[in-house]
Amino acid sequence: MQKNHKELSQLYSLSGTFTLALRLVVGWTYFSAFWRRLILENKLNPDVSGYIGEKFNHFLPNALGIKPMIEYLVSNPDTLWWAMVIFTIIEAIVGLFIMLGLMTRLMSVGVLALATGILLGSGWLGTTCLDEWQIGILGISTGFALFFTGGGKYSIDNCLLKKMPESRLKLFSWIGSGSLPLNMKTIQRIAISGTIVIFFMTLFTNQYFHNGVWGNLHNKSVKPIVEISDASLTNKGLSFTIFRVEGADVYGSFLIGIELKDKEGNIVINKSGSELSMFPETNISNYYVAKVTPGKHSLVIPLGSKAVLTIDDERLHVLEKGEYKLTLTDISGITWSQLIIY
């Protein structure tokens, strides 16, 4: 019995050694998020460019299952800041402990949870490739594998195991490393069941986000799409809501034209890029931390931003009742339209 236990311990130690590269790479992946945000730059400052909260806002339009949570956070800047701080601390701890091989199994659950959040929130992002989807799904697979192998020979867990009292070995094996207190048949069942679930999640999310299993492939990070809603005309002016739901997350959609025409095609108002670059900020009511703002040559609409725009023009005060067409023009030439009944 003692011989079998010793051999099993050696097998776990060896398997943990085989996954050492995975431990170091995935550990740095998460720890580097903390390193980038606080050591190399301060991306937790809401007042500077590159604030992580704005990046989180980019996840909103096409997140899977966690969209209400993201919307709540980006609608409440103070709560969002605390969430980003806590999230960064968790990433730092999980990443560092995984690299050191300290409480490896507990941290592997952290890796799995963080990777699942990345997958569901931003799996649809990636301008030239399926970047975030690949990061998320590979992180889930790695966390699952590290739970079974533990830290192996080259880990702090292994040093602690040598000094661990017999009475604490069972608990430590669940949160640290060493032989899992389960028979091989049970371990195999859990491993196979988990693998099937993860593979199903791989196929499902690949199809959901990108049509990667069947149908025509699509990439929601290439061309900007702005949704127009709640467009209305009154004797006080024109107001409408814009929500940028697709396109690259690294730069905004550059709105260079707002045009309103009547049913006969006559132009009522036509705002050019230079005019929109001076759009009054008091006439922009932003919902989230990613804000629609006047830029140098246009109105800039970041991914995930949502705002009500109000245009007060004397020509709108004397409009006749009827049908009007609102058209927005992006610098790329893409246009979005909305019919308004006045």
Side-chain angles (χ1 to χ4, degrees), residues 17-67:
T17 302
F18 288 154
T19 56
L20 176 60
L22 279 179
R23 248 183 50 217
L24 295 176
V25 171
V26 78
W28 176 253
T29 298
Y30 291 106
F31 184 77
S32 66
F34 157 79
W35 192 258
R36 293 192 310 272
R37 289 173 204 157
L38 282 180
I39 307 302
L40 301 182
E41 294 182 54
N42 185 3
K43 293 188 176 183
L44 286 175
N45 185 346
D47 299 323
V48 301
S49 177
Y51 171 47
I52 187 61
E54 290 187 22
K55 175 69 176 178
F56 190 69
N57 199 156
H58 298 161
F59 300 169
L60 175 62
N62 297 288
L64 174 60
I66 59 174
K67 191 171 180 177

Side-chain angles (χ1 to χ4, degrees), residues 24-181:
L24 295 176
V25 171
V26 78
W28 176 253
T29 298
Y30 291 106
F31 184 77
S32 66
F34 157 79
W35 192 258
R36 293 192 310 272
R37 289 173 204 157
L38 282 180
I39 307 302
L40 301 182
E41 294 182 54
N42 185 3
K43 293 188 176 183
L44 286 175
N45 185 346
D47 299 323
V48 301
S49 177
Y51 171 47
I52 187 61
E54 290 187 22
K55 175 69 176 178
F56 190 69
N57 199 156
H58 298 161
F59 300 169
L60 175 62
N62 297 288
L64 174 60
I66 59 174
K67 191 171 180 177
M69 180 195 73
I70 295 175
E71 184 167 21
Y72 173 79
L73 290 174
V74 298
S75 301
N76 297 273
D78 291 341
T79 306
L80 174 65
W81 184 83
W82 278 108
M84 294 298 98
V85 169
I86 293 168
F87 185 72
T88 300
I89 292 171
I90 291 172
E91 284 186 306
I93 293 172
V94 168
L96 181 62
F97 279 30
I98 279 287
M99 285 191 289
L100 296 175
L102 176 59
M103 293 194 287
T104 306
R105 288 200 170 106
L106 180 60
M107 294 302 108
S108 72
V109 175
V111 168
L112 203 153
L114 290 170
T116 301
I118 291 171
L119 177 68
L120 298 180
S122 59
W124 63 282
L125 287 170
T127 309
T128 60
C129 191
L130 312 186
D131 301 332
E132 302 294 337
W133 177 79
Q134 289 174 336
I135 292 170
I137 206 65
L138 289 173
I140 290 173
S141 303
T142 299
F144 185 68
L146 289 177
F147 179 82
F148 286 97
T149 65
K153 183 178 180 180
Y154 302 103
S155 67
I156 293 179
D157 282 346
N158 189 53
C159 298
L160 296 175
L161 271 171
K162 294 175 181 178
K163 303 175 183 179
M164 189 70 58
E166 188 74 27
S167 59
R168 298 183 183 177
L169 279 176
K170 187 174 180 180
L171 174 62
F172 187 75
S173 67
W174 283 112
I175 64 172
S177 298
S179 306
L180 283 168

Side-chain angles (χ1 to χ4, degrees), residues 305-333:
S305 62
K306 186 177 183 180
V308 177
L309 303 185
T310 303
I311 296 175
D312 185 13
D313 191 294
E314 290 182 358
R315 289 166 290 185
L316 300 175
H317 299 175
V318 292
L319 281 184
E320 296 180 357
K321 301 292 182 179
E323 188 177 286
Y324 294 86
K325 184 179 181 181
L326 171 67
T327 301
L328 310 183
T329 303
D330 183 73
I331 195 170
S332 64

Side-chain angles (χ1 to χ4, degrees), residues 8-23:
L8 190 60
S9 297
Q10 289 174 342
L11 285 173
Y12 271 99
S13 179
L14 187 60
S15 66
T17 302
F18 288 154
T19 56
L20 176 60
L22 279 179
R23 248 183 50 217

Side-chain angles (χ1 to χ4, degrees), residues 148 182-193:
F148 286 97
L182 299 170
N183 61 60
M184 290 307 297
K185 185 173 286 188
T186 302
I187 291 175
Q188 287 174 352
R189 286 175 179 171
I190 296 173
I192 294 299
S193 299

